């Protein structure tokens, strides 16, 4: 019997969507206002959902405190109040679109989980725009 345990988190970050190898005009045509050279920010919300078998000894799939600590270290401490393009190594050469951000977050959290656990991350860039990734 598999059960899913979820934890919600929040961080604020700035980014700019652009490709270094494209002209300003091409970047502007593709990314519009998100190509602002002075960056722009979002109040991101995420939900990390861990699915697995219930441990018969503890009754947990995962201790929510452990999941909370992983999210704090790997996401909130790493991304909150940062410029994703400039301050976060994973985006040095990766365009910080919502799609790429959710994959990076998934990889960072998944690396800290037991291999028998599945993970889905949902990232809200705005209350109406969100992406999800299950790896």
């Amino acid at each position: 019997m598999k059960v899913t345990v979820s934890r919600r988190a929040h961080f604020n970050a700035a980014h700019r969507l652009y490709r270094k190898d494209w002209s300003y005009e091409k970047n502007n045509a593709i990314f519009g206002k998100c190509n602002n050279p002075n960056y722009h920010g979002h109040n991101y919300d995420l939900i990390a959902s861990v699915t697995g078998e219930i441990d018969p000894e503890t009754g947990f799939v995962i201790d929510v405190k452990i999941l909370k600590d992983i999210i704090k270290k790997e996401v909130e401490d790493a991304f909150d109040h940062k410029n994703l393009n400039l301050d976060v190594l994973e985006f040095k050469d990766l365009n910080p679109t919502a799609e790429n951000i959710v994959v990076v977050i998934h990889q960072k959290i998944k690396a800290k989980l037991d291999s028998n656990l599945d993970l889905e991350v949902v990232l809200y860039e705005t209350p109406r725009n969100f992406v999800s990734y299950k790896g």
Side-chain angles (χ1 to χ4, degrees):
M1 172 175 35
K2 291 195 174 197
V3 174
T4 300
V5 175
S6 298
R7 171 91 183 168
R8 183 180 298 272
H10 178 84
F11 64 94
N12 302 309
H15 69 158
R16 176 186 181 197
L17 301 184
Y18 77 109
R19 288 184 52 127
K20 296 172 189 172
D21 59 330
W22 288 357
S23 69
Y24 176 81
E25 291 74 23
K26 183 170 182 177
N27 273 298
N28 215 38
I30 301 297
F31 300 115
K33 294 188 297 185
C34 295
N35 177 43
N36 181 350
N38 294 315
Y39 306 93
H40 68 282
H42 294 283
N43 300 314
Y44 293 95
D45 286 306
L46 73 90
I47 302 170
S49 298
V50 177
T51 301
E53 299 288 334
I54 299 171
D55 181 314
E57 291 184 19
T58 65
F60 295 152
V61 170
I62 185 172
D63 184 335
V64 175
K65 170 79 165 87
I66 291 170
L67 181 58
K68 172 187 166 192
D69 291 346
I70 292 169
I71 292 169
K72 178 163 182 3
K73 180 180 179 196
E74 299 300 325
V75 180
E76 293 171 330
D77 291 349
F79 294 178
D80 191 38
H81 285 83
K82 301 282 174 51
N83 181 315
L84 299 178
N85 300 79
L86 302 176
D87 301 329
V88 179
L89 184 61
E90 289 88 351
F91 299 109
K92 180 178 183 283
D93 296 311
L94 181 64
N95 205 3
T97 61
E99 294 88 339
N100 284 331
I101 297 167
V102 78
V103 170
V104 167
I105 290 172
H106 184 282
Q107 291 169 341
K108 290 170 69 75
I109 295 172
K110 182 73 173 159
K112 302 297 181 183
L113 298 176
D114 291 340
S115 61
N116 62 322
L117 297 174
D118 295 322
L119 174 66
E120 178 180 16
V121 177
V122 179
L123 179 70
Y124 288 82
E125 190 172 66
T126 72
R128 292 183 295 222
N129 298 334
F130 60 96
V131 295
S132 64
Y133 181 68
K134 298 180 212 180

